[in-house]
Amino acid sequence: MPVTIYDVAREAKVSMATVSRVINGTAVVKDETKKRVQDAIARLGYRPNAVARGLASKRTRTIGVIVPDVSAAFVAEMVRGIEDIATMYDYHIILVNSDAQVDREVSLVGTMWEKQVDGIIYMTNVLSQKEIDAFEEAQIPVVLCATEDPERRIPSVNIDNYRAGRDAVNFLLEKECKEIAFVTTEEGESVVADRRLQGAQSRMRDQELHVIRTGQGRYEVALGIIREYLEKHPLDGVVAASDELGLATIHAVQDIGRHVPGDVKVIAFDNTRLATMIRPEMTVIAQPMYDFGAVSMRLLTKLLQDEPVDNYSVTLLHNILERKST
Amino acid sequence: MPVTIYDVAREAKVSMATVSRVINGTAVVKDETKKRVQDAIARLGYRPNAVARGLASKRTRTIGVIVPDVSAAFVAEMVRGIEDIATMYDYHIILVNSDAQVDREVSLVGTMWEKQVDGIIYMTNVLSQKEIDAFEEAQIPVVLCATEDPERRIPSVNIDNYRAGRDAVNFLLEKECKEIAFVTTEEGESVVADRRLQGAQSRMRDQELHVIRTGQGRYEVALGIIREYLEKHPLDGVVAASDELGLATIHAVQDIGRHVPGDVKVIAFDNTRLATMIRPEMTVIAQPMYDFGAVSMRLLTKLLQDEPVDNYSVTLLHNILERKST
DNA sequence: CTGTTAGCGCGTTCAC
DNA sequence: GTGAACGCGCTAACAG
């Protein structure tokens, strides 16, 4: 039989209300009785039941974290950031994968509602109205993490992807690149990627920006596509929408007997560990992946505790780390 | 005001018990009244409160997942496996990182207890008695995932690491390697790694197995250590305890002007995506990372539903994928 | 097949 | 400073 707050009360010869008080520090309790209670708790090995607590207080100290796929390096890093800050503020996270499927995402918001989570941290490739409606219906505070919401209807943490795309191209331009390509996923796959592409295009003037589409952006398929493109087009600079695509580019270049950075310079997005674990080490537009998660979670705690928030859509800084591929 | 089961009952002109029945399929309900209830639920947008449900039923349909660090590729993949199967059986997971610190691990088992999780999936580098005691005290079913418990006191899912280490060395031996090294972490860092080393050593006969210790096994520090070792010792075969260490080995070999696989053959553990994203593609002892998670979760569901279990310590198969580094 | 009645373990008034 | 009593939303007997 699990020991309850009543058992502690009896053991300490006080009422359960008093026990509750010393546990939660809700009110002043005489030092002596407080000690009696604490001793009783220790003696009985009492653990407050978080479920009962959640029912009574209507707060579960649990956060729903909805992501496309934890097994992606970028996402995992972010989740780690979320969890660290959650722990710091005494929250726990329920993690679910949506595979970026709208129906599933909407359904997951519903189950988070049933779970009575205090808040949600949400990441997706494309934010649709359906999801916004789901948030609205569930009446749960949401923070978007590394997710584009052009209309900024929901609190969010992101970088300026347009500017980042622009910076990447600018970097190559300053390296005297003439024929630049942007390697990315299919259009509509990811609003973040699309936004970067727009930024990249905005920096080109009379020249044309080559755009290489690689499906979902997986290394294996991208490799072939990029190689084929390279054989037909004399590129000398590539911006890749992810480390994985950057690596595919480097290998594609090498496969056709050309050289990075001598013949083709490559700069990629993200800066996962991959970027420094390959040869040549990759120049990147670094994204603060861990911070995306950490800052999102911190913002959410503010929302939950009615702390003043001076900025509901936080823009973190990206930066260029020049290495050996440019 | 959130709508409760009472509201639905009133709307459908039945008792709350009946509503509960149609929601849970706990008993037969006349088709007509069932429909009335379902309509009422839809009309009101009712969602059952999982917290109240958990308190009443003493089952939360929540699983605690305790891992060293989600941001490690290996772990993230495993978590994905856990979550997929959890979803399939209508469970959710609370994810926490322990950083492999015993105190924290013990404490986390305690908070899982408070959260009233139905079960725990546990992964760690070194399993100590303290943790076993914590499981015992919390009285929660636990499944160890990719974690060595020599005494098999707790249900677990793992590969035969001893045999895997042996197989790796054997593979190099058959390739005519004479001077073989095992690149791993410090002794005691990870029982899994230690076990593999033992297996590796068991396969050597009169020859000596070189052992290269690389601290925590991080690429950046390992690279220097391995390079230094290589300069002093004429190795021609290396078994690395992880993909990351395998890659460090390949680069170390290249750094001193030698060649993989020509001069030195490299085989590594794990087979994360990294292994096929580098040049040369790495020969590996592949571990079923996703399956570790998936099978663990499945085993746990059996434990929770009192299904018959024919094997409490499941041994998954590893296999060698020969690629370009050997 | 359906309704009534107890709890589940805790937070939170409101008195004392 | 402390205790008694109620309610959070639901499941699970038990009747009928």
Side-chain angles (χ1 to χ4, degrees):
Chain A
M1 266 307 89
V3 14
T4 76
I5 200 171
Y6 283 104
D7 300 323
V8 176
R10 193 177 325 117
E11 177 82 9
K13 301 189 192 312
V14 296
S15 75
M16 55 154 299
T18 300
V19 177
S20 177
R21 284 180 192 116
V22 344
I23 291 174
N24 301 306
T26 303
V28 189
V29 177
K30 206 200 296 176
D31 274 2
E32 186 201 315
T33 66
K34 180 189 287 184
K35 184 166 187 328
R36 277 221 312 284
V37 171
Q38 286 165 337
D39 288 350
I41 289 177
R43 216 171 314 130
L44 296 169
Y46 168 71
R47 290 274 182 170
N49 180 324
V51 175
R53 214 194 272 230
L55 184 59
S57 68
K58 296 178 169 307
R59 290 153 75 287
T60 56
R61 302 210 75 82
T62 301
I63 302 298
V65 176
I66 302 177
V67 298
D69 179 11
V70 236
S71 69
F74 183 102
V75 176
E77 188 73 32
M78 206 186 75
V79 169
R80 177 73 216 234
I82 295 172
E83 211 273 313
D84 280 359
I85 306 303
T87 295
M88 198 170 298
Y89 286 86
D90 196 26
Y91 283 96
H92 287 99
I93 66 173
I94 293 184
L95 179 74
V96 292
N97 300 103
S98 69
D99 287 318
Q101 316 242 307
V102 184
D103 293 351
R104 177 140 177 72
E105 290 171 327
V106 169
S107 143
L108 285 172
V109 173
T111 65
M112 288 304 171
W113 178 7
E114 294 189 356
K115 283 281 189 178
Q116 308 291 117
V117 298
D118 295 342
I120 290 176
I121 291 183
Y122 195 82
M123 180 183 188
T124 188
N125 297 341
V126 182
L127 187 68
S128 71
Q129 187 59 42
K130 283 188 184 179
E131 289 145 270
I132 310 263
D133 292 344
F135 298 154
E136 180 61 34
E137 190 188 0
Q139 298 255 53
I140 305 174
V142 176
V143 172
L144 297 179
C145 189
T147 298
E148 286 283 321
D149 171 26
E151 302 165 39
R152 293 177 180 271
R153 293 158 287 189
I154 297 179
S156 65
V157 176
N158 207 345
I159 61 166
D160 183 338
N161 284 296
Y162 185 89
R163 190 133 183 284
R166 198 179 163 88
D167 289 350
V169 168
N170 188 58
F171 182 84
L172 292 182
L173 250 21
E174 286 185 349
K175 293 274 180 185
E176 314 267 302
C177 292
K178 304 297 178 202
E179 292 293 324
I180 300 176
F182 192 91
V183 176
T184 183
T185 51
E186 291 316 302
E187 188 172 358
E189 270 285 320
S190 157
V191 180
V192 164
D194 293 352
R195 198 83 190 109
R196 289 175 186 163
L197 174 55
Q198 288 169 20
Q201 276 161 333
S202 78
R203 181 61 185 77
M204 306 296 284
R205 300 182 199 278
D206 9 78
Q207 312 111 298
E208 174 209 4
L209 178 67
H210 298 256
V211 177
I212 307 180
R213 301 284 185 181
T214 60
Q216 325 274 340
R218 288 195 55 121
Y219 173 85
E220 293 80 1
V221 324
L223 186 60
I225 296 174
I226 299 167
R227 194 190 297 139
E228 206 168 306
Y229 196 95
L230 279 167
E231 281 167 345
K232 297 191 196 128
H233 306 268
L235 303 176
D236 61 359
V238 171
V239 179
S242 72
D243 286 329
E244 198 168 326
L245 287 174
L247 183 53
T249 304
I250 290 176
H251 286 163
V253 170
Q254 294 171 343
D255 281 357
I256 63 167
R258 304 185 69 202
H259 193 256
V260 175
D263 301 317
V264 183
K265 301 193 191 311
V266 177
I267 181 170
F269 271 90
D270 289 1
N271 195 37
T272 58
R273 296 202 62 216
L274 188 59
T276 49
M277 285 170 63
I278 58 174
R279 302 293 175 84
E281 293 185 11
M282 207 159 42
T283 295
V284 294
I285 304 269
Q287 292 203 76
M289 298 165 290
Y290 180 91
D291 292 349
F292 276 146
V295 174
S296 296
M297 186 63 217
R298 179 64 186 108
L299 175 55
L300 188 51
T301 63
K302 287 182 184 166
L303 263 31
L304 295 179
Q305 305 171 14
D306 298 309
E307 287 180 47
V309 175
D310 38 52
N311 192 349
Y312 286 90
S313 57
V314 180
T315 301
L316 264 27
L317 298 180
H318 59 274
N319 60 313
I320 296 183
L321 301 179
E322 181 163 11
R323 297 204 266 249
K324 307 291 187 187
S325 68
T326 52
Chain B
M1 267 311 87
V3 13
T4 76
I5 199 172
Y6 282 105
D7 301 324
V8 176
R10 195 180 322 118
E11 177 82 9
K13 300 189 194 313
V14 297
S15 76
M16 55 164 300
T18 300
V19 177
S20 177
R21 285 183 192 111
V22 344
I23 292 175
N24 301 308
T26 302
V28 189
V29 177
K30 206 200 300 176
D31 274 1
E32 186 202 316
T33 65
K34 182 189 286 187
K35 184 167 186 329
R36 277 223 312 284
V37 171
Q38 285 166 339
D39 289 350
I41 288 177
R43 215 170 316 132
L44 268 42
Y46 167 73
R47 289 275 181 170
N49 181 325
V51 176
R53 206 188 272 219
L55 184 60
S57 69
K58 297 179 169 305
R59 289 155 75 279
T60 55
R61 302 210 73 83
T62 301
I63 302 298
V65 176
I66 303 178
V67 298
D69 179 11
V70 235
S71 69
F74 183 102
V75 177
E77 188 72 32
M78 205 187 76
V79 170
R80 178 71 216 237
I82 295 172
E83 212 272 313
D84 280 359
I85 306 303
T87 295
M88 198 171 295
Y89 286 86
D90 195 26
Y91 283 95
H92 286 100
I93 67 173
I94 293 185
L95 178 74
V96 292
N97 301 102
S98 68
D99 287 317
Q101 316 242 306
V102 183
D103 292 353
R104 179 142 177 69
E105 290 171 327
V106 169
S107 144
L108 285 173
V109 173
T111 66
M112 287 305 172
W113 178 6
E114 294 189 357
K115 283 282 189 178
Q116 307 292 118
V117 298
D118 295 342
I120 290 178
I121 291 183
Y122 194 82
M123 179 184 190
T124 187
N125 298 341
V126 182
L127 187 67
S128 71
Q129 188 59 42
K130 283 188 184 180
E131 290 145 87
I132 310 264
D133 293 345
F135 299 153
E136 181 59 33
E137 191 188 359
Q139 299 255 52
I140 305 174
V142 176
V143 172
L144 297 180
C145 187
T147 298
E148 285 284 322
D149 172 25
E151 302 164 41
R152 295 177 179 271
R153 292 158 289 191
I154 296 179
S156 65
V157 176
N158 207 345
I159 59 167
D160 183 339
N161 283 295
Y162 185 88
R163 190 131 184 285
R166 198 177 162 88
D167 290 349
V169 167
N170 188 58
F171 182 84
L172 292 182
L173 250 20
E174 287 185 348
K175 294 273 179 187
E176 315 269 299
C177 291
K178 305 296 179 201
E179 292 292 324
I180 300 177
F182 192 92
V183 176
T184 182
T185 52
E186 290 316 303
E187 188 173 357
E189 270 285 320
S190 156
V191 180
V192 164
D194 293 352
R195 199 82 189 108
R196 289 176 186 161
L197 175 55
Q198 288 169 21
Q201 275 162 335
S202 77
R203 180 63 185 76
M204 305 296 284
R205 301 183 197 276
D206 8 79
Q207 312 111 301
E208 173 210 6
L209 177 68
H210 298 257
V211 177
I212 308 180
R213 301 283 185 182
T214 61
Q216 325 276 339
R218 289 196 53 123
Y219 173 85
E220 292 80 1
V221 323
L223 185 60
I225 295 174
I226 299 167
R227 193 189 297 138
E228 206 168 305
Y229 196 94
L230 280 168
E231 281 167 345
K232 297 191 198 127
H233 306 267
L235 302 176
D236 59 0
V238 172
V239 179
S242 72
D243 287 329
E244 198 168 325
L245 286 174
L247 182 53
T249 303
I250 290 176
H251 286 163
V253 170
Q254 294 171 342
D255 282 357
I256 63 167
R258 303 186 69 203
H259 193 257
V260 175
D263 300 318
V264 183
K265 304 197 190 310
V266 177
I267 182 170
F269 271 90
D270 289 3
N271 194 36
T272 59
R273 297 202 61 215
L274 188 58
T276 49
M277 286 170 63
I278 58 174
R279 301 294 175 85
E281 292 185 11
M282 205 157 45
T283 295
V284 295
I285 303 269
Q287 293 202 76
M289 298 165 290
Y290 180 91
D291 292 348
F292 276 148
V295 175
S296 296
M297 187 62 216
R298 179 63 186 110
L299 176 55
L300 189 51
T301 62
K302 287 182 185 167
L303 263 30
L304 296 179
Q305 306 170 15
D306 297 309
E307 289 179 44
V309 175
D310 38 50
N311 192 349
Y312 286 92
S313 56
V314 180
T315 300
L316 265 27
L317 296 180
H318 59 275
N319 60 313
I320 296 184
L321 301 179
E322 180 162 12
R323 295 202 267 249
K324 306 292 186 187
S325 68
T326 50

